[in-house]
Amino acid sequence: MSTQNNNLSRRAFLRNSSLAGGGMLIGFNLFQACKPKVISEPAIDLASLDYNDFNAFIKIADNGAVTIFSPNPEVGQGVKTSMPMIIAEELDVAWKDVHVEQGILDTENYTRQVAGGSQSIRFGWDALRQTGAAAKQMLVSAAAAKWGVDPSECSVSEGVISNAAGDTMGYGDVVNEAALLEVPEDVKLKSPKDYKIIGKDAPNVDIDEIITGKPLYGLDYKEEGMVYAAVVRPPAFGHKLVSYDATEAKAMPGVIDVFTIGEKLRGLKEEVPRITNITSDSDKVVVIANSTWEALKAKNAIKVEWEEASKAESTAEHDKILTDLLSGNTFETKRSDGNINKAFAEADEILERTYESPFLPHSCMEPMNFFADVTDEKVRLIGPIQTPEGTAGFVAQMLGRDPKDIHLEMTRIGGGFGRRLYGDFAIEVAEIADKVRKPVKLVFSKEDDMEDGVYRMAIKYRIKAGVKDGKVTAYHLKEAAVNSNMYGLIPNFFPAGAIENYQVDTASYDSNITTGAWRAPYTNFLAYAEQSFFDELAELMEVDKIQLRLDLLDKVKPEEDERIQYSPERMKEVIRVAVEKSGWGKKPDNVYQGFVNYYCHNTHVAEVADVEIENGEAVVKKITCVVDCGIVVNPLGALNQIEGGVLDGVGHSMYGELTFENGRPTATNYDRYRLLRMREAPEVETHLIQNEYSPTGLGEPTLPPAGGAIANAFSAATGNRLYKQPFAKTPELLKAPAKEIIG
């Protein structure tokens, strides 16, 4: 067992013994545990505390019932299950006896209530364990005092405390006494070999509600007296409202009012430039009605006049601009090792390729929606959001309110993928509610989602490598992107540190089309480009494709370069296992394989795609995925995340594309935006590396490698290299050569 010093202040660890029926409430700041020791604050009047003021804590009733509150937004990544599992493990209670509830936003006790970057478990790991261990130690101490023995003589199993004499007490028997004890300075944490909950499959805690349709999601939320809002937004990026006629709309059944919003949003955008996802500086027309259907119908009846306030851009223009950027000199260097110009001049051979990717929408199943109720006393916000604290802060600024006036509750999220990092929809409904002074629910239509989105930016990468005496001596990666100041490439991932002369440059075109994080930001397209390039480089060098990667990894010395974020040893291990488990090089002649290894979101991944020829065309049949994400809290949840990421990567690299004409998306619903279909989904075989490293990200790391794996497999099957996504846009490149068709 390991011992850690909590350095907890009373503000970080709160107990309340005045719960109805008696019991103990523990609220713990997940991240203060990692901060330097703080001076203890004056004793808190425990009887005055209301547990609803805290969001991530343990509640133990005197009947032994245990409730654990999960602090972070649940967006389908499983944290509402896995975070409480970590607490329950150290608390030493039976998982089947734990009830889990979603916490609310609490800016005093938490510093990262965010669902983004695959970081929830990684950041919460140590503090969540300490939460459970500290509560357990207090309960044991209370039982030991009752028995008149030393706590070291006691043991715990599934919420039952035992002493050396064989006496037992349940947590409920001592919870009231435990609530009066001092918070322990040091807590003992379990060794992984003693885990009973962590590492075991646990179904999603919401699964019964999900499959029976009980209210969980933002769209489900309603309350007495609530009205519904729909918003008429600019039809294209760069357009601005001139006038509107709502005569017909106001006469429609259920319509309560029609008005404009925008002034407060514009003021907020000027004050907080980061809110670039609020589509334009234009006013917007709002319909208030008795139902969503009535609001949406009335919205379509409003006659609106718009003007082009700034250039309405098209995909063809973006394509030319990015090409010109790649050929120009307006680059910002992100990393430069050695002298690439000298190395290229001395190279025996040079390979240079350009890779292109389109804009992509997030395509969440649940459209954007949020609830707001603004009164003089409080602003209540309820709905699906990945960034509750930031959103609440923006609302407070916009309305000129004290942040303490903002009460935000998180619902389960029906798909986020980065779109719900941007709380524009919550900010909009807060302005609407402030105007009507009624509880309001704002709902986007699917067309609203697609037309007024925050998209993955369009990017072009140009990669150039030099080879001298059979070794890679130079590597130059150039990125040209629409709004790359939002999310650009990563300069310190592989092959950084592996090539002596290495440079990464970026150039950006600023567009009024809103862009931002899209699942696996930075890497979702870069992984395909780089890993496809490495395959072609190995072919040029006439060396084994996997051995080339291993040879480069052998040169990486993280201990000598603190910028390097990946572990070459852990990367080599996922490569070794992927080769073994995929049957690399040992498949029948009709199976063509493509390999990729990649690191992102603190996790090492290797993937192998199996492609076969069906009716003369290359088809993805299987992906073997090997993941090193450290300790796996919930293997069942991990499997879901891994498979979902792989299939998302396959689908978007094959079919995903959003184009613009005169500032307007050409696809506004699923009839024109192509997603992976069930019959097209390949088998995914998953293997997890077993070790005792602290957990790392899992919601995103398996998506980026998928595109590269299938591109490399397609090349093996057809002889054609793919340089542009989506791959299915050039179906002729997926065709097998004539001998395969004949055979």
Side-chain angles (χ1 to χ4, degrees):
M1 303 179 77
S2 59
T3 301
Q4 291 197 12
N5 189 312
N6 264 345
N7 297 329
L8 302 180
S9 69
R10 285 187 178 274
R11 189 176 193 82
F13 202 108
L14 301 167
R15 298 103 64 220
N16 186 351
S17 60
S18 62
L19 297 177
M24 176 168 68
L25 175 73
I26 296 176
F28 184 37
N29 185 323
L30 297 186
F31 309 107
Q32 282 195 11
C34 303
K35 296 178 181 178
K37 188 169 184 176
V38 295
I39 299 173
S40 296
E41 299 176 8
I44 294 174
D45 179 8
L46 298 177
S48 68
L49 295 177
D50 175 359
Y51 81 83
N52 285 318
D53 289 340
F54 317 108
N55 63 325
F57 48 77
I58 305 163
K59 183 169 69 176
I60 303 175
D62 56 5
N63 65 359
V66 177
T67 297
I68 298 178
F69 290 75
S70 182
N72 283 28
E74 175 53 68
V75 69
Q77 81 281 43
V79 295
K80 191 176 176 183
T81 303
S82 54
M83 295 183 93
M85 286 175 70
I86 298 169
I87 296 174
E89 180 67 74
E90 295 290 350
L91 182 60
D92 222 331
V93 293
W95 179 246
K96 64 180 176 60
D97 296 332
V98 172
H99 175 66
V100 175
E101 291 188 17
Q102 176 67 58
I104 64 170
L105 174 65
D106 179 356
T107 57
E108 289 193 18
N109 290 300
Y110 300 95
T111 56
R112 195 185 184 279
Q113 281 185 275
V114 174
S118 298
Q119 300 296 301
S120 295
I121 296 298
R122 176 173 175 257
F123 273 99
W125 172 247
D126 288 331
L128 288 166
R129 288 188 296 155
Q130 291 167 12
T131 302
K136 172 184 171 181
Q137 194 163 324
M138 293 165 69
L139 290 157
V140 169
S141 295
K146 274 193 170 186
W147 285 322
V149 301
D150 191 274
S152 64
E153 299 177 24
C154 301
S155 61
V156 178
S157 178
E158 296 191 340
V160 177
I161 308 165
S162 304
N163 63 23
D167 301 317
T168 62
M169 289 187 193
Y171 279 174
D173 298 325
V174 293
V175 66
N176 294 319
E177 292 85 352
L180 303 176
L181 298 179
E182 289 295 320
V183 175
E185 286 293 324
D186 300 299
V187 295
K188 294 181 179 180
L189 300 178
K190 287 185 177 181
S191 168
K193 66 181 176 60
D194 297 321
Y195 288 162
K196 299 176 181 177
I197 297 174
I198 293 174
K200 304 295 189 298
D201 288 345
N204 192 307
V205 294
D206 287 336
I207 191 64
D208 290 342
E209 287 80 2
I210 291 171
I211 62 178
T212 57
K214 293 181 181 177
L216 276 174
Y217 297 90
L219 277 177
D220 298 327
Y221 185 79
K222 61 180 63 175
E223 61 180 56
E224 192 71 28
M226 184 175 79
V227 295
Y228 295 81
V231 177
V232 183
R233 299 176 179 83
F237 291 92
H239 283 208
K240 191 172 184 177
L241 178 69
V242 175
S243 63
Y244 72 97
D245 180 354
T247 304
E248 182 181 343
K250 288 182 177 181
M252 296 177 71
V255 174
I256 299 170
D257 200 1
V258 179
F259 53 83
T260 61
I261 59 169
E263 182 179 348
K264 290 185 177 180
L265 284 172
R266 284 196 299 280
L268 179 61
K269 189 173 179 180
E270 292 169 3
E271 194 171 337
V272 189
R274 192 173 78 81
I275 308 181
T276 56
N277 54 296
I278 297 174
T279 306
S280 71
D281 294 330
S282 174
D283 283 348
K284 303 168 187 178
V285 183
V286 179
V287 176
I288 301 294
N290 289 322
S291 71
T292 298
W293 176 249
E294 290 168 328
L296 291 174
K297 290 289 285 183
K299 165 188 166 181
N300 293 333
I302 297 174
K303 298 177 177 62
V304 187
E305 181 183 352
W306 307 93
E307 67 177 1
E308 187 176 297
S310 59
K311 184 172 176 55
E313 302 161 355
S314 298
T315 294
E317 295 171 304
H318 293 144
D319 185 71
K320 183 178 185 307
I321 289 168
L322 295 181
T323 298
D324 291 344
L325 279 175
L326 279 179
S327 302
N329 297 307
T330 57
F331 284 92
E332 177 184 353
T333 298
K334 299 294 186 180
R335 174 167 174 154
S336 179
D337 300 341
N339 186 330
I340 60 167
N341 292 329
K342 182 174 182 294
F344 281 125
E346 297 174 350
D348 299 326
E349 295 178 288
I350 292 176
L351 179 69
E352 185 173 24
R353 294 289 183 264
T354 300
Y355 302 86
E356 304 176 38
S357 71
F359 288 97
L360 289 179
H362 294 84
S363 303
C364 305
M365 183 63 71
E366 178 190 20
M368 301 305 110
N369 67 90
F370 227 77
F371 167 90
D373 184 16
V374 177
T375 66
D376 291 341
E377 292 75 32
K378 183 183 289 188
V379 177
R380 288 193 302 128
L381 302 171
I382 302 172
I385 185 71
Q386 292 180 244
T387 51
E389 182 177 351
T391 298
F394 293 149
V395 169
Q397 286 182 271
M398 179 182 68
L399 299 182
R401 302 289 292 260
D402 189 319
K404 293 181 179 179
D405 291 347
I406 312 298
H407 173 88
L408 190 149
E409 298 178 25
M410 293 166 276
T411 63
R412 192 177 178 91
I413 301 173
F417 315 113
R419 174 62 181 95
R420 286 185 165 96
L421 290 170
Y422 308 97
D424 47 299
F425 42 91
I427 297 168
E428 278 185 354
V429 76
E431 184 174 13
I432 294 167
D434 186 51
K435 202 157 190 174
V436 301
R437 288 297 170 128
K438 293 180 180 180
V440 182
K441 177 74 165 292
L442 170 65
V443 179
F444 281 39
S445 67
K446 177 52 64 177
E447 288 76 14
D448 291 334
D449 261 356
M450 296 285 277
E451 292 180 349
D452 198 60
V454 181
Y455 310 101
R456 186 188 80 170
M457 57 188 179
I459 304 176
K460 290 191 180 184
Y461 289 120
R462 183 165 293 164
I463 308 176
K464 182 179 179 182
V467 178
K468 174 74 173 176
D469 297 329
K471 304 293 183 183
V472 183
T473 56
Y475 188 91
H476 191 193
L477 171 63
K478 298 167 74 174
E479 175 193 85
V482 175
N483 299 333
S484 69
N485 60 306
M486 292 292 294
Y487 288 95
L489 50 76
I490 296 287
N492 298 316
F493 288 3
F494 182 77
I499 300 170
E500 183 178 356
N501 304 289
Y502 173 86
Q503 186 164 315
V504 175
D505 296 327
T506 64
S508 176
Y509 164 66
D510 294 332
S511 170
N512 56 24
I513 295 176
T514 53
T515 61
W518 189 92
R519 190 175 186 179
Y522 306 98
T523 60
N524 48 59
F525 175 65
L526 176 60
Y528 147 70
E530 288 197 302
Q531 289 292 310
S532 184
F533 182 82
F534 272 112
D535 253 36
E536 194 168 359
L537 182 61
E539 292 170 0
L540 173 71
M541 298 170 66
E542 298 183 342
V543 299
D544 181 84
K545 296 168 182 176
I546 294 178
Q547 192 59 50
L548 172 63
R549 293 166 167 89
L550 292 173
D551 290 343
L552 289 171
L553 286 167
D554 283 338
K555 298 179 180 180
V556 181
K557 308 296 181 187
E559 66 277 7
E560 298 175 7
D561 186 349
E562 63 182 14
R563 296 172 297 174
I564 301 300
Q565 298 177 29
Y566 61 95
S567 163
E569 297 307 316
R570 294 175 75 174
M571 184 66 81
K572 284 188 282 188
E573 179 62 8
V574 296
I575 292 173
R576 182 192 68 79
V577 176
V579 168
E580 174 192 337
K581 299 298 184 181
S582 69
W584 178 261
K586 299 177 182 178
K587 291 294 181 82
D589 290 343
N590 65 325
V591 178
Y592 303 88
Q593 294 186 301
F595 177 87
V596 165
N597 63 278
Y598 205 70
Y599 168 90
C600 66
H601 299 85
N602 314 103
T603 293
H604 301 77
V605 177
E607 293 182 19
V608 176
D610 289 2
V611 163
E612 297 180 20
I613 304 300
E614 292 184 352
N615 300 318
E617 186 171 314
V619 178
V620 185
K621 304 298 287 187
K622 181 179 179 180
I623 305 286
T624 302
C625 183
V626 179
V627 178
D628 179 356
C629 61
I631 293 172
V632 179
V633 177
N634 181 7
L636 179 61
L639 185 68
N640 292 335
Q641 288 296 288
I642 290 168
E643 291 184 353
V646 169
L647 295 178
D648 206 4
V650 171
H652 283 95
S653 59
M654 284 294 297
Y655 306 112
E657 181 180 39
L658 188 69
T659 59
F660 288 83
E661 289 294 338
N662 299 319
R664 188 170 192 167
T666 56
T668 60
N669 211 319
Y670 292 132
D671 59 336
R672 297 190 66 187
Y673 182 70
R674 181 76 155 82
L675 292 169
L676 183 71
R677 294 164 183 160
M678 291 183 69
R679 61 180 172 81
E680 298 164 334
E683 173 191 353
V684 180
E685 179 183 311
T686 298
H687 300 275
L688 290 159
I689 301 295
Q690 300 298 317
N691 56 45
E692 294 187 2
Y693 290 110
S694 295
T696 56
L698 202 52
E700 296 165 291
T702 63
L703 183 151
I710 63 174
N712 288 337
F714 283 145
S715 177
T718 68
N720 300 320
R721 279 283 164 194
L722 298 164
Y723 300 105
K724 187 173 185 177
Q725 289 186 355
F727 302 148
K729 189 174 183 179
T730 51
E732 66 277 4
L733 296 180
L734 303 182
K735 297 291 184 183
K739 64 179 181 179
E740 292 290 352
I741 298 174
I742 295 170

